[in-house]
Amino acid sequence: MTTALLLAVLQALVVALGAPLVVGTLRTLKARLVGRRGPVPWQPFLDLRKLLGKTPVVSDTTSWIFRATPYILAGAMLVAALAAPVLTSRPPLAFAGIILLMSLFLLGTFFLALAGLDAGSAFGGMGSSREVAVAALAEPTVMVAVFALALRANTTNLGAIVERVSAEPLLAVNAGHLLAFVAFFIVMLAETGRLPVDNPATHLELTMIHEAMVLEYSGRHLAMIEWASAMKLLVFLTLLANLFFPWGVPADVTAVALLLGLLALVGKLVVLVVALAALETAIAKLRLFRVPELLAGSFALGVLSVSAVVLLR
Amino acid sequence: MLRQLRLAIRTGIVTEPPPTEAEIERLGAQVAGEIRVRFGRSLAIRQVDAGSCNGCELEIGGLTGPHYDLERFGVHFVASPRHADCLLVTGPVTRNMAEALRRTWLATPDPKLVIAAGDCAGDGGIFRGSYAVVGGVREIVPVDALISGCPPSPAALLAGLLDALGRPR
Amino acid sequence: MASVVYALTALLSAAVTTAGITGLLGVRWLTRIEWLVPLGGFELEMDPLAGLFVALVGAVAVATSIYAVGYAGRDRRGCVAHAAFIGAMALVPLAANVMTFVLAWELMSLASYVLVLDGARAGREASASTHAAWVYAVMTHAGLACMLAGMLLLTAWTGSPRFADWGAAAPALGAGARSLVWALLALGFAAKAGAVPLHVWLPLAHPAAPSHVSALMSAVMIKLGVYGLLRASFVWLAPAQVGWGVALLLVGALSAVAGVLYAVVDRDLKRLLAFSSIENVGIVFVGTGAAVAFAATGLPSLALLALVAALYHAVNHAAFKSLLFMAAGGVLHGTGTRDMELLGGLIKRQPWTATCFLVGAIAIAGLPPLNGFVSEWLIFQALLQNDLLSWPTMNLVFALAIAGLALAAGLAVACFVKAFGITFLALPRSEAAATAHDAAPTMRAAMLVTAAGCAALALGASWVVPALGAVGATLIAAPPPVTLGPWLTLEVSGDFATLSVPAVALALTGGVLLPIVLLAAARARPRPRRFETWSCGRLLQTARMEYTATAFADPFTRVFDFFYRPVRRLDVDLHPESRFFVRSIRYENPTRFIVDEWLYQPLGRVLRAATRHIGVIQSGSPNLYLAYVLAALLLLLLVA
């Protein structure tokens, strides 16, 4: 009981503190790849600390939904952090499956979209409209990828999938599995607002999807939303790393095992972050109405992965 | 795609060390010490064009490039004044932009800085005395620092910004 | 005066609910009044499945009756029809022979027709509303014709009009005969449930009816179509066949996606909710179809799981859809309009209605920790195990159903962000919205009770699922597929999937409170300053600059334009003296309904042509009519 509680606290800390570090490292890498020195990898911590000290400005057209959304979003991401297999194969919320995780992300998107509409400006409405459209179109791919994984492991429980795939390590380099990984990677790009779906560093409102919804936020509200977005990215990357390639994820909860698990996760995350930085540097943002084509392509990959799993049994 | 990455790796980092000279004029109250320390490590700038000829904007645009690289000091540009700590105002403040500048300043959360860039932002520059111009940013919003030049070079802008933030170089 | 009738209806409905719950828990009884109705007598039988649906009717009726006291209490019209409607709906699941069933069904349709027409007369667009009532009447009776044909065939072949006898005699009939009867019955029940392509009456009738009636129709009446399908597939025509399950799966997936796609682009609040009902009926059909398919291929445990999931979703939909319709009624009552392009900012003028609509929106979007999430989760778990079938064609069908359901779930989130956001948030877009008043106390009470019901259905999943499992076990004999683990966890099919709703709710509450506590501890909570919305320093900020409902749905209109087939019309009116000055521009881009255009309009054209040709007989000449009489007489003499 106490070990479970300690594990929960530890996992929450790892995700909460690791998320800004991942985002900062990504920014530094992208800067280096275009020939700039770039910010230090822990810059997001400095940004968050500064934001906490600012007095928020709240619009008088908004309602309680605008003020409540940052907390709801942060809360949903914290629960998602506890439900993902980060440190051990069985997360603190041991019953969690992928569907619960994706629904928690949708909960956050729902409230963020409402907050975008609440401000009463055209920017917010546009951001909300685009964000929910991208999220809706990414859903079929998620479920088909889940189906592919569930077929292989005979369960949708995250911890059980990790344990079953790690019991047969060669399962991870199977064709169906790799196709599902690629499909899920594209979904990650769409859901976390990375290039080529959305440029997180853009200043042009007409090209924004996620940023446009948060244009009204300031101070500690903005800090919580930025932190929640960083946690979402980290949870997605952790899923990609630990769910599809669960090598080195410990099953038992001892100090040594946890440390090794953390090191393995960091190693996998480094590979993913470098790949993501390279991809974002080399690819331009897609026109907004080409994004459904990308998501349809990822859906096709998902269906292919299911067929591969079924046929190559 | 791979060609792009190969070119990036071949070219390497071209950022130059920050400039040492600064042509900056301190106006108004000094920003309190603790806040300057906080802003010194992380600053969000919202650039406001109050009727400028865009010469200053082009120079400011150079700051985000690889040679001057503003981001390595923790400074970045943002789209919304709600996200900003500092307003970087250019232009003589034409009469049509006066109210817009004032509302932008009110939309920025406290504590905030205002840095005026260019001779026009100081007192109207070459447009001083025109019927269409208010004559300097300080007539509309309180200004903390002024970087003169017509237009100020990116090096001068960078030096001025760092000096305004009190950052050791 | 009408308030008294509604209050009485509420009390009677409470009694009905209690009777239903006792039936649900296993109390069975049978009554028969031989002389009341010809051809078999009036016969009622209570069993767990009937008890579930009776309890559902009663529970929703209690809420809508209390709501109606405040909403329509001053309007004498419609209170008796409302009571008759509820009474007929309570009788349908209990009916034990053909005549009783058909009588109850017809009474239900007639009462609702009267209510739709009443609501139409009270509303503004009289001609559109009579059209709605007419289409409703036609579709209901077309469905009744198919259903009656199927039931009479079955009566003729098994020799008895009693439902209990059909279950015993059906296996003796051939597979083809049973499929024919099933197809006829399914057409009738699917038309009542509102599955695509038999759904055309739903988006017309539900918005036209008064809000408490819309709530009843959407929440309960269309579930009776599902009840009929369950009876037909598992009791009357058992054993089930795979083809039936596949048909239901495909129709369900199609309805789910089509329904929500039409809901997303709609600007009428109640019609959006009606299309959303079509979507949810599709989801229930998918669960039912999966149950039939699994039962027919020898996987009774999975069949029971899918059945429980479908029943759970039916119950949940009744709860949150009635809540949503009641809240929409509150909006209509307070502002006088259903058009979202004229609403906005209502969260400040109507806080209670807004909060209740928000609860309903979160529930219907399938977001944790509310009930929509739990039932959709269960349906997904049932579908994801289709691998056990090891039949590639079926695996493909199930994969299509999973993808369709996932798309519908995502689109539902978008739809209800639009519905809640445009109606309640930001600035009011018209004078009516700016001067709205909140709902009356009885309306608020009814909505709050229903919202509490949604939460209870979610947190009490550990009790609801076993209860529904017991109901389902009377239809499919199998061990319970969902067991209870520690911390009120639902364990599906052993360790295939697990979920603990109270744990999720607790975790979310903790997650939301943690940042508040941390920020307070760090003393990082300066009071916010109020200033206008950032609009790039523009001097004028009005409601015209907000996003509109049509604009919000624009990405969907573009992505799915092969489905909506919008027709762009642009009329530019130039000044007569110079073509460089434009007087007015009229731009229309309405979406079209392909089911109407490809199925019903050609059908209507064929029917009209046929009647024109047959109408030649009606020449108007008495001599010709006498000749007809003579010819008929000669023919009968020859034949007899």
Side-chain angles (χ1 to χ4, degrees), chain B residues 36 39-42 72-74 162-169:
Chain B
R36 277 180 74 187
F39 282 171
R41 307 298 299 281
S42 160
R72 63 185 147 141
F73 302 109
L162 294 174
D163 194 42
L165 295 176
R167 265 191 76 127
R169 275 185 280 287

Side-chain angles (χ1 to χ4, degrees), chain A residues 33 38 47 50 54 214-216, chain B residues 8 42 69 80 82-85:
Chain A
L33 277 174
D47 294 337
K50 173 208 67 180
K54 301 207 54 163
V214 301
L215 281 177
E216 281 303 307
Chain B
S42 160
D69 194 19
S80 166
R82 292 270 208 273
H83 299 180
D85 312 310

